[in-house]
Amino acid sequence: MNAVRIAGIILLALVWLWLCWSLVALGGGFSIKNILVIVASGIIVFVPIWKKYIRNDNNQK
């Protein structure tokens, strides 16, 4: 993976973490609903990125 892809994934992860923190901080703390929303959004955001960039990069080597 080149540096631009790594920087993009790190930036996306930081934005996702910031949004998760704001959900917990402003949305009433830790509850089952908030935890499920965080897990579901993580799966929706990071699994396709992992499949496209990381898994394919490991198969080519």
Side-chain angles (χ1 to χ4, degrees):
M1 284 179 41
N2 60 11
V4 175
R5 283 188 184 165
I6 293 171
I9 292 172
I10 289 172
L11 180 65
L12 180 65
L14 289 174
V15 169
W16 181 77
L17 286 172
W18 174 70
L19 289 172
C20 291
W21 173 81
S22 65
L23 174 69
V24 171
L26 302 175
F30 285 104
S31 66
I32 297 296
K33 178 187 169 211
N34 287 346
I35 292 171
L36 289 176
V37 167
I38 290 170
V39 169
S41 68
I43 290 170
I44 290 170
V45 169
F46 292 110
V47 168
I49 291 172
W50 176 77
K51 284 183 177 181
K52 185 172 183 178
Y53 295 115
I54 298 171
R55 186 177 65 178
N56 288 338
D57 195 38
N58 290 337
N59 290 340
Q60 292 174 354
K61 290 183 180 178

